[in-house]
Structures are given as structure tokens and as C-alpha cells.
Amino acid sequence: MDYSFSPLGDQAIIIEVGTSINEETHNRIRAITSLLGASPPQWMTECIPAFTTISVAYSPLLATFEEAKNELASLLKKTEDIDVPHPRTIEIPVCYGGGHGPDLEFVARHNGLSPEEVIAIHTGTSYTVHMIGFAPGFPYLGGMSEKIAAPRRESPRGAIPERSVGIAGNQTGVYPISTPGGWQLIGRTPTRLFLPDREIPSLLQAGDTIVFRQITPEEYQTLEEKENADHI
């Protein structure tokens, strides 16, 4: 497999693994991430996987771009021998519609479906976490059915409640923190995705498998109270 390398500023290298988002590219990125995690070069300071690329940050005091690139090219020849860890499966409970998902009706109308059908489709598949970005702990997920795709809002909200579940285009995701955004909100989870007091603050990691489970407003309140009590 041939990879391309390009500089990202003067302290990072972008490795292009593929040109389209698919399972093969994702598996290669996971293999490279596992390899670099298990045997990091002395000069590497961080490894950041994305949809089709991996950014490798390095100390310019320990290596030049050419030196880092050449060592990476040599290391990547070993990816075929890497046993990629089996992905974690994480269930995220979601209370759909109402005050928790004010845009569920719009997503349903846009696709000629009932709200119940949107929920059934959204919970009826598993999703792959391709990358974490935009906001702390925000997962970019692959695998959503085009049957419930919907455009972003014409006017973004100034503040979206933390843990809101949204749809934009053919993607779905969860806002770990309150932030402005234009996604269509279909529900909310009581599960915290961003835990700043932990060594690894993001609950989700690239490579995880996510499944959404519908819960009632009463279940949401119970689980939210438990989450709050656990993080006092």
C-alpha cells in the first residue's frame, strides 16, 4: 500500500491513507494508529486519526520533516502484521423528540416518514466512530441511513444543549458540550461524552462502534440524575 506524506505546519505530517471514506480506509487507519501507539517514534508527540488521513505531530528538535517522513514510511510497511484490537461497542441511550429533540418532526417531514420511523431507522443500525473533533469529545460517525438524511438548519442555534443528538446531511453525531451549531436535533442522551476530569477525557475513541437505544423521558431523568451523582 502506497501512502502520501505532506507537511502540516513545521511540527506535523499528514499521512493520506485513502481518498474516500470506506471500511478499508478506516481499517488501515486503525492499523496505523495501533502501530504508532505500540511503537511510537522518539520524536512523535501525538497521533490524530481522521476520515482518510492521520496527522502525526513531532518535535522539530528531535527530527526534521524528511527524517520523520522516512521513518514513518519504513514503519508503515509493518501494518500488515498488526493485530488491530476488536472495536469497542458502546450503547448510547437517547430520548427522542419533544424538548429533547425539537427537530425530529422536521427530519421526519423532510424524508416523508413518521417520527417513529425516523427513530426506528436511527436506532436500527450501528455506527463507526471515524474521528473525534470540532468540539471536545465530538464523534464523527459513519453508517447513518440516507433515508433520514436532512440539511443543516438555515440559521444555526447560538447554543445547543450538551449531549444533544443531531443530524446534518448524511451524518449523525452527539454534541458533548454546549456549543453553537446548525445540526437538526432529534434527541438527547443522559450519557456524558466529555469527561474533563479523566486522563482520557473523551468517552468515545476513533474505531469504536456505537449503537443508539431509545429511552422514555422518565428513563432519561433517572439516568441523568445518576450521571450527575457519579460526577459530583
Side-chain angles (χ1 to χ4, degrees), residues 65-79:
F65 169 79
E66 288 296 329
E67 289 170 340
K69 182 185 74 170
N70 291 337
E71 187 169 348
L72 284 173
S74 179
L75 280 172
L76 295 186
K77 295 177 182 178
K78 303 176 182 179
T79 54

Side-chain angles (χ1 to χ4, degrees), residues 53 164 206:
T53 63
S164 293

Side-chain angles (χ1 to χ4, degrees), residues 30-95:
R30 292 191 65 222
I32 295 170
T33 302
S34 296
L35 175 65
L36 294 177
S39 304
Q42 183 182 5
W43 42 260
M44 189 180 87
T45 58
E46 191 174 9
C47 173
I48 306 169
F51 281 115
T52 61
T53 63
I54 298 175
S55 296
V56 181
Y58 63 91
S59 169
L61 299 177
L62 299 177
T64 65
F65 169 79
E66 288 296 329
E67 289 170 340
K69 182 185 74 170
N70 291 337
E71 187 169 348
L72 284 173
S74 179
L75 280 172
L76 295 186
K77 295 177 182 178
K78 303 176 182 179
T79 54
E80 299 296 331
D81 302 324
I82 291 295
D83 291 325
V84 179
H86 190 73
R88 300 185 304 168
T89 297
I90 298 176
E91 182 182 86
I92 296 181
V94 179
C95 183

Side-chain angles (χ1 to χ4, degrees), residues 22-224:
N22 54 50
E23 186 175 357
E24 181 181 3
T25 297
H26 177 68
N27 288 336
R28 286 175 177 163
I29 287 175
R30 292 191 65 222
I32 295 170
T33 302
S34 296
L35 175 65
L36 294 177
S39 304
Q42 183 182 5
W43 42 260
M44 189 180 87
T45 58
E46 191 174 9
C47 173
I48 306 169
F51 281 115
T52 61
T53 63
I54 298 175
S55 296
V56 181
Y58 63 91
S59 169
L61 299 177
L62 299 177
T64 65
F65 169 79
E66 288 296 329
E67 289 170 340
K69 182 185 74 170
N70 291 337
E71 187 169 348
L72 284 173
S74 179
L75 280 172
L76 295 186
K77 295 177 182 178
K78 303 176 182 179
T79 54
E80 299 296 331
D81 302 324
I82 291 295
D83 291 325
V84 179
H86 190 73
R88 300 185 304 168
T89 297
I90 298 176
E91 182 182 86
I92 296 181
V94 179
C95 183
Y96 290 90
H100 295 305
D103 301 323
L104 177 62
E105 295 280 351
F106 169 81
V107 173
R109 289 196 307 272
H110 178 76
N111 291 287
L113 302 170
S114 67
E116 293 73 21
E117 288 173 320
V118 172
I119 295 169
I121 293 171
H122 193 257
T123 58
T125 187
S126 60
Y127 302 84
T128 298
V129 179
H130 284 275
M131 60 182 288
I132 303 295
F134 165 64
F138 185 95
Y140 282 86
L141 306 179
M144 193 188 80
S145 171
E146 292 187 1
K147 294 179 180 179
I148 56 174
R152 286 174 167 79
R153 289 171 54 88
E154 292 184 5
S155 178
R157 291 181 170 92
I160 287 178
E162 63 175 344
R163 309 188 312 277
S164 293
V165 179
I167 288 176
N170 61 356
Q171 284 192 305
T172 186
V174 185
Y175 284 85
I177 62 174
S178 179
T179 178
W183 290 36
Q184 305 289 348
L185 306 183
I186 63 171
R188 195 178 183 199
T189 177
T191 301
R192 294 190 180 193
L193 273 64
F194 180 57
L195 308 164
D197 56 333
R198 295 189 179 181
E199 182 178 355
I200 301 178
S202 177
L203 174 66
L204 306 177
Q205 300 295 320
D208 288 343
T209 297
I210 306 302
V211 291
F212 293 107
R213 174 175 64 89
Q214 183 181 14
I215 58 174
T216 65
E218 293 75 21
E219 289 174 306
Y220 176 94
Q221 183 174 353
T222 299
L223 291 172
E224 185 178 51

